[in-house]
Structure formats: structure tokens, C-alpha cells
Amino acid sequence: MEYQPAVTEPAAAVDQRVEAAVGEPLYLPPREIEPPPDPTDQGWDIGVQLGAAYNDNIFLSRTSPESDVIVRVTPKIGWVNGREGGEGGYLSIIYRPSGVIYLDHGSENRIDHELVVAASYEGRRTGVAYKGGFRRLGDPQSELGGLNSDRTEYANEIRLIWRPKEKIGVQVAAGQTTQDYDQAVLTDADSSYFEAGLEYAYSPKTRFLVAYRNGRTEIDRAPKQTFQQATVQMIWQPREKWKVNLRAGIESRDYVQGGDTYGVFDGRVEWAARAGTSLFVAGYRREDVSAVFAGQNMEVLGVSAGLRQKLGEHWVATLEGGYESSDYKRVAGTGAANRSDEVIFVRPALEYSVTDDFRVGAFYRYERNSSNNVAFGYDNHQLGVDLEYEF
């Protein structure tokens, strides 16, 4: 689980899902790939983000868009001890509350919460790692349209590893994710899984993991689903300029009305083309439970790409864009599943580093959902500024 706090509203439909899908793996990475310890990463991690943005469609409505200026205040307090992936112990606890203020729609004001915990211990041949946390959110979601999206999310995983030989490792893991909506008309889901895998360190900079995962998803107002997944993951960092993290495989899912088998993948490639210039490409394919339509799942496919360019000593320009498609299918109950969404976004931004600990920025964001269901879909423009300070 990799959490990315949003500075402005609504949360991105595409880029947030990409980040959630391809965050750093929970299993313990090879020490040779990890950077040397940075003493500034030890101890207290305290900061604050301030953002304000004009949003011309705050509820992601197709027919009745409403605009507002949204202000977000996000303090951060955390504690970090050790180095993740390094020998010995590591602990990171970070809490981010976010005050979200609507200048015209005061009844929508709220406080979001995010707590992320990561802990690990690695010895010579054995290791254990845990990542987990919760989020209390209310940002609009692409699938929900104008429906209230207040929700609580949980995610936890614990992973054990044993390396009988220098290049060979055996892993076992157990995890769960929960999405619990406040609105009774929306579908809650709780998924748990067990995973076993074999890791092979081909070289100090290349690692493979072959894994089998078995799990089940308990769904509100719908029968449970079970799934099995077989995947191969490669982490490859041939040079400092390249970082490659790719995972692909097959998932088989059983429903009350039959089952389906399909390909799954997620991955991210980063390239530092030259000093001051970096690019990334990311993508994923998976199946999710629909929160809007009971008894339906979504086949989700997404890609995104971005460019970061340093301009002089203090300025940095970024450009990101992405695409996601969601095709709905009936897996329980009766009636046709006839919704299909296509979401695109583009986000240019410019930031200025006042000091190493203080930066200010401005951005524009356009997002569009071309849904074939007349009750959903939207166009959304945002224009905003934000600042961040690390104490």
C-alpha cells in the first residue's frame, strides 16, 4: 500500500489508482539496490502543506456542475528510525490530517485523516515486514458521480522471508483491504489474501519474485467472491538512471454465477534521461468490485506518463497525463451491466524551491470521464496553488 495525499480536490481518478497499484513492493528489497542511509531521514518528520484551487465541478456532475474554491491544510507528523530494506530494524509512523474548506459550500467542509505505518526487521537470512494504515476520506470519486463518497479505508500486509541461500528466498504473506462507505446505497468490500512466493536474486541489481495468491472478497449486498492469482515480478535497476518494477500474471475469479480468468499487471518504469530531466511510465490492469452497482465488477485498465524538468537552480516544471477505462460486468443477480467509462487527465505544473525545505507551486488540471451511462461522466477543470514546508 502506497498512500499519496491529495493537495486539491477532487482526487485524481487515474493517477491515484496508478500509485496505489504500483507502490514499492512490501517484500524486503536487496540491499545493493537501496541508496546509502540519509541521516536527515531519521527522527521526527514534520511538515505542512497548504493548497487552494478553483474547481469548476466539485461533485463531478455531468448535468449540474457547481464550482468553488477549495482550501486544504495538511500538517504532517511522523517518526522514522532505521532504513527500509537495510539490515536491522526499521520503523516509520506518519499521520496526516487534512482540513478541507469550501468557500461557498460550507456544508461540505470536513477533516480527512491518514495514518501509515511501516515496520521491518532483516537479519542475515530471515526478515519480516509490515505495512498498513487507514484513511478517512471524502473526496469525490469518478465511479460515484455526484453521490456522497465519505468512506473509511484500511489496508494491512505482513510478509515473512527466509533466504536458505544467498540468491534464493522463500516468502509468505497475508493481507487485507477494506473500503467502507458511509452511504448505505453504496457497496462495501473487504478482501483478504494469503500469498506464497519464491524470490531469485539474479544479480545485485536484478530480482525476480514468482508468487501465488489465494483470497476472498466479502461484499455488502452481494455474494462473496474468491480468487487465485499467479504472477511474476521483476525489479531491475541496471544503472542509477533506470528503475524498473514490473509484475504480470493471470487471475482466476469465482462468482456465484460462474467465473472468469484474465490477465493482470502493474508496473512502473523511471528514467533519469539527463541531469535535471526524468520521465516515468506506469500502467495496470485488474478487476475491482463496483461500489455503485451491487452484483457488478469492473475490468480496469490504466496507463499514465510524466515528465519532470528542472529549470535553473530553483524552478521545476512537470507534465503528467493518464488514461483509464472501466468496463462493468454482471457477476451476481439479474439485469444487464451496460456501463463503460473512459477517464483521461492532464496536469502541467510549475514549482519554485525557496529553500531545500520550502517550495511553492502552481498547477492546472483537466479531467474528463466519457461514460456511456447518462447518469455519470463529467468534465472537470482545476487551477490552483500550493506550498509545502518541512521542519
Side-chain angles (χ1 to χ4, degrees):
M1 176 182 67
E2 182 74 13
Y3 289 130
Q4 297 293 332
V7 177
T8 54
E9 298 236 318
V14 178
D15 50 348
Q16 273 200 342
R17 291 183 183 177
V18 169
E19 291 302 322
V22 296
E24 288 300 313
L26 295 189
Y27 67 85
L28 304 179
R31 299 188 190 105
E32 294 86 351
I33 293 180
E34 291 295 307
D38 184 349
T40 62
D41 291 338
Q42 307 298 306
W44 290 103
D45 183 6
I46 300 175
V48 63
Q49 286 183 323
L50 303 175
Y54 170 77
N55 188 321
D56 72 345
N57 192 353
I58 59 175
F59 301 121
L60 301 183
S61 171
R62 177 172 232 164
T63 58
S64 303
E66 297 186 46
S67 62
D68 205 340
V69 174
I70 304 170
V71 177
R72 180 183 287 265
V73 182
T74 307
K76 176 182 70 172
I77 181 168
W79 171 262
V80 180
N81 187 36
R83 180 167 61 91
E84 189 171 19
E87 187 173 0
Y90 169 78
L91 175 64
S92 172
I93 303 174
I94 297 177
Y95 172 58
R96 296 183 184 93
S98 295
V100 184
I101 303 168
Y102 292 73
L103 297 191
D104 291 334
H105 298 74
S107 62
E108 301 297 324
N109 294 348
R110 68 178 191 276
I111 299 178
D112 290 344
H113 300 272
E114 175 185 68
L115 175 67
V116 182
V117 179
S120 65
Y121 180 83
E122 184 171 4
R124 184 169 175 267
R125 293 190 178 274
T126 60
V128 58
Y130 166 81
K131 279 190 177 181
F134 90 97
R135 296 193 295 183
R136 174 65 183 174
L137 303 173
D139 52 288
Q141 291 184 296
S142 177
E143 190 201 1
L144 306 188
L147 295 174
N148 185 299
S149 62
D150 290 347
R151 63 198 183 277
T152 304
E153 300 176 352
Y154 299 92
N156 296 277
E157 183 186 85
I158 186 166
R159 186 170 292 267
L160 306 175
I161 185 169
W162 172 54
R163 295 190 176 99
K165 295 185 178 181
E166 182 180 355
K167 293 188 174 184
I168 301 295
V170 178
Q171 299 189 20
V172 294
Q176 66 83 222
T177 59
T178 299
Q179 187 145 282
D180 185 4
Y181 289 95
D182 289 3
Q183 282 212 84
V185 297
L186 296 177
T187 299
D188 302 331
D190 184 282
S191 183
S192 59
Y193 61 86
F194 172 82
E195 181 179 293
L198 183 64
E199 162 194 318
Y200 175 63
Y202 177 77
S203 72
K205 298 183 180 296
T206 306
R207 181 165 297 226
F208 296 92
L209 176 67
V210 179
Y212 169 77
R213 178 175 293 191
N214 185 287
R216 62 186 291 169
T217 302
E218 300 286 346
I219 305 167
D220 185 31
R221 300 182 296 121
K224 71 179 181 183
Q225 300 174 16
T226 60
F227 59 90
Q228 302 82 40
Q229 187 182 96
T231 58
V232 177
Q233 183 168 8
M234 179 183 73
I235 298 179
W236 181 42
Q237 189 174 337
R239 302 175 183 175
E240 292 184 0
K241 292 185 176 182
W242 286 92
K243 292 183 180 180
V244 179
N245 188 344
L246 302 175
R247 185 177 70 97
I250 296 176
E251 181 171 290
S252 176
R253 189 173 287 256
D254 296 319
Y255 321 112
V256 69
Q257 298 176 181
D260 197 4
T261 300
Y262 44 86
V264 294
F265 69 84
D266 56 74
R268 184 181 178 95
V269 178
E270 300 178 14
W271 177 39
R274 59 175 183 268
T277 303
S278 60
L279 303 93
F280 82 87
V281 178
Y284 56 93
R285 187 180 191 274
R286 63 178 182 269
E287 184 162 317
D288 292 336
V289 175
S290 171
V292 176
F293 303 114
Q296 295 188 29
N297 281 12
M298 304 178 295
E299 296 179 350
V300 184
L301 172 67
V303 294
S304 67
L307 167 67
R308 179 180 176 88
Q309 177 64 56
K310 191 171 183 180
L311 306 173
E313 185 178 354
H314 297 284
W315 291 94
V316 174
T318 59
L319 176 64
E320 299 180 20
Y323 165 86
E324 180 182 273
S325 66
S326 300
D327 294 317
Y328 290 70
K329 64 181 183 182
R330 171 69 61 183
V331 297
T334 60
N338 55 9
R339 180 178 174 184
S340 178
D341 289 6
E342 291 187 344
V343 180
I344 62 170
F345 83 94
V346 61
R347 186 185 188 277
L350 186 66
E351 69 177 48
Y352 178 79
S353 298
V354 181
T355 67
D356 290 342
D357 298 321
F358 180 42
R359 68 162 188 87
V360 296
F363 72 93
Y364 166 74
R365 179 186 177 89
Y366 173 70
E367 182 173 309
R368 182 179 185 181
N369 181 1
S370 302
S371 178
N372 67 347
N373 188 313
V374 295
F376 300 93
Y378 56 86
D379 281 276
N380 181 227
H381 300 261
Q382 298 178 52
L383 182 65
V385 296
D386 60 81
L387 62 88
E388 181 175 3
Y389 184 77
E390 295 285 342
F391 293 95

